[in-house]
Amino acid sequence: MFELLIGIGVVLVVAIILTILRILRLVNVARGVEKKSPDSSSANKVNALLFLLFLLISGAATTWYSVSRFDEYQLPIASEHGIITDRLFWITMIVTGVVFIITQILLFYFSYKYQFKTSRKALYYPDNSKLEVVWTVIPAIVLSILVFSGWKAWSDITNAAPDDAEVVEVMGYQFGWEFRYPGKDNELGNHDFRLIDPVNMWGMDFTDRSSFDDFSSGTKLVIPKGKPVLFKIRARDVLHSVFIPEFRLKQDAVPGMPTRFWFTPNKTTAEMREELGNPDFNYYIYCTEVCGRGHFSMRKMVEVVEADEYEQWYAEQQPFLQKNPDYLAKVPSNMKELAVVSAGMDSEVEEN
Amino acid sequence: MATANISNENIAHDVHGHDDDHHHGNFITTYIFSTDHKMIAKQYLLTGILWAFVGGLLSIIFRLQLGFPGMSLEFLRPLLGDWISSSGSLDPEFYLALVTMHGTIMVFFVLTAGLSGTFSNYLIPLQIGARDMASGFMNMLSYWLFFLASIIMFISLFLETGPAAGGWVVYPPLSALPQAIQGSQAGMTLWLVAMVFFIASQLLGGINYITTVINLRTSGMSFSKLPLTIWAFFLTAVIGLLSFPVLMAASLLLVFDRSFGTSFYLSEIYIGGEALPNVGGSPILYQHLFWFLGHPEVYIVLLPALGITSEVVATNSRKPIFGYRAMVGSMLGITILSFVVWAHHMFVSGLNPFLGSIFMFLTLIIAVPSAVKVFNYLTTLWKGNIVFTPAMLFSIGLVSVFISGGLTGIFLGNSAIDIQLHDTYFVVAHFHLVMGSASFFGLMAGVYHWFPKMYGRMMDRHLGYVHFWLTFVGIYLVFFPMHYIGIAGFPRRYYSFTTFDILDTFADLNMFISVAAILTFSAQAIFAYNFFYSMYRGRLAPANPWKSNTLEWTTSRYPGHGNWPGEIPKVYRWPYDYSKPGAKEDYIPQHIPFSATPESNLPHENEMIAEEKAAAKVDTTSNEAKA
């Protein structure tokens, strides 16, 4: 019913506008206005005035909305580099905002001020080299400053992760995310897409000893506050993109081409809940590269905890092999003993 | 010939009507398989309008889903069939197909073919003083290949598996793996086939435009006297000619990956419970090839609009365009730089960060010529005597949205900031303003300005005013709020925002945008009515209704095949002699010699007359000596 009303409303509005215009035109024809040239009609004044009104009303509305809803669209920052990129964003906003306001005012003001008058002749002013040089050079200088500051931030963000960074493998697939941690040896084992199966979703290669203690975090990604975290990102089917807005983090996941992104979270989930006054707040990974029908719902929770809490959680996790002892069969016989020890499977093997 | 007779001369051809039409054909050769550039232009325009309606309608359907999540769209079942699920909601994959088709149609069929195809075809021969394009047959072939491409694309809407659904960029592996989504099956194949035909059409058209501009200019029409429209169409054709073949190659490689087992873009893929044999390829390769066209494509749709605006702003401000040489220079700069900025679409794709730095620098540099154009438009308006025709309104609207959308490009071109904004609604807002809306406004400005010449009748200006204001305000209401939700991290191409709490905060704004989109789309009915009504019932147009200087206004009211009944006018001056001090009228067309306007000549123009006379004298003397 609601949609029907919308449809009828739209049709009626259009019909009314068309009818009014038709009547106006007929009235004009009757008055002989149509025979006059456009520049001699009152329409010129009306349009000039409308430009001025548009400037004032849209300016007021934009200012009101920008100020009153600032907290809603300004996302909280929860990473070290996010502070830098946000600062860059707002510097750029100020620079472009000033240009935006000045040029739009000039555009609409000139349109109003210099509307056609029979008594006036336009100024013949084809060029002015000095003026053109000025407004070529000034934008070039301003943009150079923005380029330099952006380049510096970009270089810092994309340089190699610190050696002590916590490493997590993030893998995207239709339509979910999986995470793999390197375990106690702090080295992720090799993977091979041909080894993927419904349980070994990463295609972990158990001929590589580094795989023996790798583990999955299950339903959520856990990372520590205040320590660098390195995401090793990949996809196993189509393109995906890791996006965690509060961390100002985005990096595509590409099949056959691992990518990476490192950052330092600076607010735990609990701190963020307190800051926002929202006990239900959670960080989530979004997917921002279209990947199919479930693209919009492809998410996984991210939990940021204090460093000591993280270490405790990390130590409690069970390696994949321990959870799935059947995969011990895929370990070469000369490495089985090492695998059992690395995966902490001693007790289970003894029981078997 | 005195300037006092300018008006008389311009309408003198009226009496001829169609007498100059030396090419009398039957209905098919005149209206369907015509080789006349003007008829081909109209074919492009009408096809473009049809596609604009289809593309716009698709966007309204998905805006309903975004603005009113959970609302029953059962009433769309007669149109969409089983794409409306049993619960009455839109199928999520068809949503992606709608987004894909909307983007493809609007970018390629409306703004490329509908804008550039229409006005390049219509204006190049008329404004440079040529009888027709260099090759009329190739020109006709260009339109029909475009038409064929559009029909193939249209057919894909009726496939059981739906049209392509991977976004208008159709990134592999999604587009290369038929098993990935339904929209990667036959719909994707048709998308690629359509694009191959479309690119072939663009290349034929582009070659023709370039050849015509270089070879068929009338006497006196040097490059320095070309209207800025022609400069824009010429450079647009150059961009298209150099960049479209790369997309053609990318598409063909994609066809190979889809159908012949190659691995140009595929590697290490496990999908549908199966590990595929492809290794060694890279999806990023496709992105490089795609954006090598994809970014210049922005200027392929934008430059013609800017060219049209230059012409319309100068004419209706009754002033010379300010900084003609700088305007040409800025277009040349944009043309060159457009080829070296493509990778700013790929900052977070896994691109080498060093390359990211280079492309950031180049991307932000391209803002300089764009800024020059804006300042020059503003200065052209300054101290003008502005006549608000509908074309002028749309041109001013173009400058406004070009400023708004152009400035947000500075955020996205800065790689560090782009990390957060990439693939959010901020990008959607940016390109819909700077590329979509500005080009659409250019298209509208062109239609309102040249309609009298195209159809020999006037469009109703009051309807034009209402159309402009509803569209202008509507465009801002639709796209400006998208910046806010983009800053808040709304990803684009999301079927629903209810999955994430922070996105749901903006449900009211999303509804507002959708309502604004519906009203803006509806307002286009006013244009459609005005256009088709005026085509047959509009007031008869004078030969030069806007008192403009360019050569097309020296033809008859409704020029026939061959454009001019007699000799093609010779050109003596640039096209922007408006309000020249001392002149008897506020415009002096290009074909009026300086010897006819001694009262307004500048010193160098008098020197030119003296040189011409001296040259003529030398010629006469040498001829007499020979005799």
Side-chain angles (χ1 to χ4, degrees):
Chain A
M1 190 60 189
F2 180 57
E3 52 271 26
L4 183 66
L5 284 175
I6 290 178
I8 293 171
V10 169
V11 171
L12 278 177
V13 168
V14 173
I16 289 167
I17 290 171
L18 287 175
T19 310
I20 291 171
L21 288 168
R22 185 76 187 139
I23 292 168
L24 281 174
R25 183 163 182 231
L26 289 173
V27 170
N28 283 337
V29 169
R31 286 178 179 171
V33 175
E34 279 289 304
K35 289 177 185 169
K36 293 180 183 174
S37 62
D39 47 15
S40 62
S41 75
S42 59
N44 220 50
K45 287 178 190 165
V46 172
N47 282 302
L49 191 64
L50 284 174
F51 273 125
L52 203 60
L53 285 175
F54 176 81
L55 175 70
L56 296 172
I57 294 171
S58 62
T62 306
T63 309
W64 167 76
Y65 191 89
S66 301
V67 173
S68 65
R69 308 271 306 250
F70 183 81
D71 290 340
E72 285 178 29
Y73 60 82
Q74 166 63 8
L75 279 179
I77 311 168
S79 72
E80 297 294 342
H81 77 270
I83 297 166
I84 299 166
T85 55
D86 264 34
R87 190 188 304 138
L88 268 178
F89 176 89
W90 289 111
I91 289 171
T92 310
M93 182 66 87
I94 291 166
V95 172
T96 55
V98 169
V99 177
F100 173 77
I101 290 167
I102 292 174
T103 48
Q104 296 282 7
I105 287 175
L106 289 178
L107 177 68
F108 295 124
Y109 177 69
F110 287 169
S111 299
Y112 174 76
K113 166 95 175 161
Y114 300 112
Q115 57 182 287
F116 184 87
K117 286 194 177 74
T118 320
S119 57
R120 191 175 62 224
K121 190 172 184 181
L123 177 69
Y124 187 78
Y125 192 58
D127 53 32
N128 181 329
S129 302
K130 283 180 189 167
L131 204 58
E132 289 172 76
V133 169
V134 166
W135 64 47
T136 305
V137 170
I138 290 177
I141 292 170
V142 173
L143 286 166
S144 300
I145 294 167
L146 292 177
V147 165
F148 180 75
S149 52
W151 168 78
K152 178 116 185 19
W154 172 253
S155 302
D156 289 345
I157 294 166
T158 56
N159 66 10
D163 292 339
D164 64 339
E166 292 293 324
V167 177
V168 186
E169 185 183 65
V170 180
M171 187 192 68
Y173 64 97
Q174 290 176 318
F175 297 99
W177 299 102
E178 287 294 333
F179 313 107
R180 184 163 66 118
Y181 291 74
K184 288 172 188 166
D185 66 356
N186 213 27
E187 272 188 49
L188 283 166
N190 291 340
H191 60 81
D192 187 328
F193 73 106
R194 283 165 290 214
L195 300 174
I196 294 174
D197 61 42
V199 179
N200 180 10
M201 300 181 74
W202 304 265
M204 290 164 67
D205 178 3
F206 293 107
T207 63
D208 178 9
R209 64 178 63 197
S210 301
S211 300
F212 299 156
D213 59 348
D214 291 359
F215 67 87
S216 148
S217 65
T219 55
K220 63 182 177 184
L221 170 71
V222 181
I223 49 175
K225 172 191 162 188
K227 282 192 74 178
V229 177
L230 171 63
F231 279 180
K232 291 188 171 179
I233 302 165
R234 64 190 177 101
R236 72 176 200 192
D237 40 37
V238 299
L239 292 180
H240 302 279
S241 187
V242 178
F243 179 36
I244 310 177
E246 293 85 358
F247 296 158
R248 308 298 189 262
L249 185 166
K250 188 176 288 136
Q251 184 67 58
D252 283 3
V254 186
M257 196 190 88
T259 57
R260 53 184 59 215
F261 196 106
W262 76 271
F263 64 104
T264 307
N266 62 6
K267 282 177 196 163
T268 65
T269 301
E271 286 171 340
M272 192 60 99
R273 285 176 179 170
E274 196 176 324
E275 179 182 320
L276 298 176
N278 177 7
D280 299 323
F281 171 84
N282 283 306
Y283 297 109
Y284 284 101
I285 292 189
Y286 302 57
C287 177
T288 56
E289 197 66 79
V290 63
C291 59
R293 63 183 295 126
H295 169 57
F296 70 100
S297 58
M298 187 172 151
R299 68 173 190 174
K300 207 117 186 195
M301 191 194 296
V302 180
E303 186 173 1
V304 182
V305 295
E306 295 291 353
D308 53 347
E309 198 180 334
Y310 175 74
E311 277 172 27
Q312 189 184 342
W313 172 86
Y314 202 92
E316 289 168 358
Q317 299 308 302
Q318 287 183 300
F320 178 87
L321 269 180
Q322 194 183 67
K323 281 186 177 172
N324 303 281
D326 291 351
Y327 282 81
L328 203 57
K330 294 184 185 290
V331 178
S333 52
N334 63 333
M335 299 169 79
K336 275 205 166 67
E337 197 175 330
L338 178 64
V340 166
V341 174
S342 299
M345 299 169 71
D346 300 18
S347 55
E348 289 174 31
V349 172
E350 279 166 16
E351 282 167 20
N352 290 339
Chain B
M1 193 184 304
T3 46
N5 295 327
I6 288 171
S7 304
N8 293 336
E9 177 166 316
N10 283 324
I11 59 171
H13 297 306
D14 274 6
V15 291
H16 293 295
H18 270 107
D19 289 352
D20 52 332
D21 193 352
H22 56 76
H23 178 85
H24 295 287
N26 56 32
F27 180 84
I28 291 177
T29 55
T30 305
Y31 294 105
I32 301 176
F33 295 113
S34 172
T35 55
D36 181 359
H37 70 100
K38 300 183 292 298
M39 184 54 67
I40 293 170
K42 289 178 200 171
Q43 289 173 325
Y44 265 110
L45 179 59
L46 290 173
T47 316
I49 288 173
L50 174 70
W51 274 110
F53 171 75
V54 174
L57 188 64
L58 299 183
S59 71
I60 294 305
I61 295 172
F62 67 71
R63 273 311 322 177
L64 280 175
Q65 160 63 29
L66 292 173
F68 308 95
M71 182 183 94
S72 171
L73 299 178
E74 193 65 42
F75 65 99
L76 289 174
R77 189 179 289 281
L79 185 67
L80 300 182
D82 289 341
W83 294 115
I84 299 296
S85 69
S86 55
S87 65
S89 60
L90 190 69
D91 181 84
E93 192 159 319
F94 192 66
Y95 167 85
L96 290 176
L98 289 174
V99 172
T100 305
M101 290 299 282
H102 167 74
T104 306
I105 288 169
M106 288 305 198
V107 170
F108 292 117
F109 296 165
V110 178
L111 298 178
T112 303
L115 173 56
S116 184
T118 300
F119 291 104
S120 294
N121 266 302
Y122 197 80
L123 292 178
I124 287 177
L126 281 172
Q127 288 197 334
I128 67 169
R131 297 283 179 201
D132 205 322
M133 284 288 176
S135 168
F137 178 76
M138 241 166 73
N139 206 18
M140 177 186 77
L141 201 59
S142 163
Y143 169 74
W144 282 105
L145 281 173
F146 157 58
F147 187 78
L148 185 61
S150 69
I151 292 298
I152 292 170
M153 191 72 79
F154 188 65
I155 287 170
S156 75
L157 281 162
F158 301 96
L159 290 173
E160 190 181 355
T161 51
W168 77 281
V169 294
V170 298
Y171 281 173
L174 194 69
S175 57
L177 302 172
Q179 63 270 53
I181 50 171
Q182 288 192 74
S184 294
Q185 297 177 30
M188 190 62 234
T189 304
L190 287 185
W191 192 95
L192 287 166
V193 171
M195 285 311 296
V196 168
F197 279 114
F198 180 74
I199 294 168
S201 145
Q202 290 304 298
L203 296 179
L204 288 176
I207 290 168
N208 230 343
Y209 305 150
I210 293 169
T211 312
T212 307
V213 172
I214 291 176
N215 294 300
L216 299 186
R217 283 167 289 123
T218 187
S219 175
M221 180 64 90
S222 62
F223 270 84
S224 62
K225 293 193 183 82
L226 281 182
L228 287 172
T229 35
I230 301 302
W231 268 110
F233 300 146
F234 177 70
L235 294 172
T236 300
V238 171
I239 296 175
L241 199 63
L242 295 178
S243 61
F244 263 119
V246 179
L247 181 62
M248 176 87 95
S251 303
L252 288 174
L253 296 187
L254 189 51
V255 170
F256 273 61
D257 272 10
R258 285 172 60 79
S259 307
F260 304 121
T262 56
S263 301
F264 293 106
Y265 308 131
L266 300 175
S267 190
E268 301 183 25
I269 289 172
Y270 178 90
I271 192 165
E274 184 191 4
L276 303 185
N278 311 79
V279 287
S282 168
I284 305 300
L285 168 63
Y286 173 85
Q287 294 183 27
H288 281 290
L289 295 175
F290 178 85
W291 287 114
F292 191 81
L293 167 276
H295 196 80
E297 174 65 21
V298 171
Y299 300 101
I300 287 174
V301 304
L302 200 51
L303 279 185
L306 294 172
I308 288 169
T309 295
S310 303
E311 193 67 27
V312 173
V313 165
T315 302
N316 291 291
S317 297
R318 314 309 295 164
K319 275 187 75 180
I321 191 79
F322 181 79
Y324 174 87
R325 277 180 299 178
M327 292 296 250
V328 174
S330 64
M331 282 196 279
L332 275 168
I334 287 171
T335 300
I336 294 164
L337 287 170
S338 72
F339 286 106
V340 289
V341 297
W342 79 87
H344 68 236
H345 297 268
M346 299 166 62
F347 285 142
V348 295
S349 68
L351 189 77
N352 184 312
F354 176 71
L355 266 182
S357 303
I358 302 291
F359 278 95
M360 171 175 63
F361 170 73
L362 293 167
T363 300
L364 294 189
I365 289 300
I366 206 170
V368 175
S370 305
V372 168
K373 290 196 85 69
V374 167
F375 292 135
N376 283 10
Y377 286 133
L378 291 175
T379 317
T380 305
L381 291 172
W382 176 68
K383 294 203 171 180
N385 205 13
I386 303 168
V387 182
F388 290 110
T389 63
M392 184 61 170
L393 295 182
F394 274 100
S395 295
I396 292 171
L398 180 152
V399 178
S400 174
V401 294
F402 184 61
I403 293 168
S404 305
L407 287 171
T408 48
I410 293 172
F411 292 80
L412 298 167
N414 194 327
S415 50
I417 303 173
D418 185 61
I419 294 170
Q420 175 73 358
L421 298 176
H422 182 83
D423 265 341
T424 66
Y425 267 81
F426 193 91
V427 181
V428 178
H430 159 71
F431 75 75
H432 272 94
L433 282 176
V434 76
M435 179 186 172
S437 304
S439 304
F440 178 75
F441 277 33
L443 173 65
M444 284 300 140
V447 171
Y448 280 107
H449 192 72
W450 280 287
F451 187 92
K453 191 54 63 182
M454 291 179 106
Y455 294 100
R457 292 176 182 273
M458 303 296 287
M459 288 179 81
D460 185 288
R461 64 194 169 91
H462 289 108
L463 286 176
Y465 294 148
V466 178
H467 173 224
F468 166 75
W469 281 107
L470 289 177
T471 306
F472 183 56
V473 174
I475 288 281
Y476 265 117
L477 292 180
V478 173
F479 298 118
F480 206 82
M482 287 186 187
H483 292 106
Y484 297 103
I485 59 178
I487 294 169
F490 259 63
R492 62 195 284 207
R493 300 194 181 112
Y494 265 29
Y495 162 77
S496 166
F497 299 112
T498 50
T499 320
F500 296 91
D501 290 342
I502 60 167
L503 303 186
D504 216 19
T505 311
F506 291 97
D508 56 345
L509 203 57
N510 253 321
M511 189 194 295
F512 178 84
I513 292 170
S514 291
V515 171
I518 292 167
L519 291 175
T520 312
F521 178 72
S522 305
Q524 305 317 304
I526 297 168
F527 168 76
Y529 169 79
N530 195 4
F531 183 86
F532 289 108
Y533 179 86
S534 304
M535 199 186 287
Y536 299 103
R537 305 282 297 275
R539 212 156 39 87
L540 289 180
N544 188 359
W546 319 121
K547 298 178 179 176
S548 192
N549 285 342
T550 38
L551 283 187
E552 74 274 24
W553 306 106
T554 63
T555 62
S556 59
R557 178 178 72 84
Y558 187 68
H561 203 93
N563 297 339
W564 286 270
E567 281 187 22
I568 298 174
K570 191 178 172 185
V571 163
Y572 295 93
R573 60 180 76 224
W574 77 326
Y576 301 108
D577 267 346
Y578 291 106
S579 300
K580 213 170 172 190
K584 291 172 184 168
E585 294 194 42
D586 70 350
Y587 71 115
I588 312 176
Q590 282 189 280
H591 68 290
I592 305 294
F594 291 114
S595 56
T597 58
E599 68 283 349
S600 65
N601 287 352
L602 299 169
H604 75 274
E605 290 164 350
N606 284 328
E607 283 170 21
M608 283 165 58
I609 295 172
E611 283 169 15
E612 274 177 22
K613 280 182 181 170
K617 197 174 180 182
V618 170
D619 277 353
T620 315
T621 315
S622 66
N623 284 341
E624 283 171 358
K626 281 178 190 172

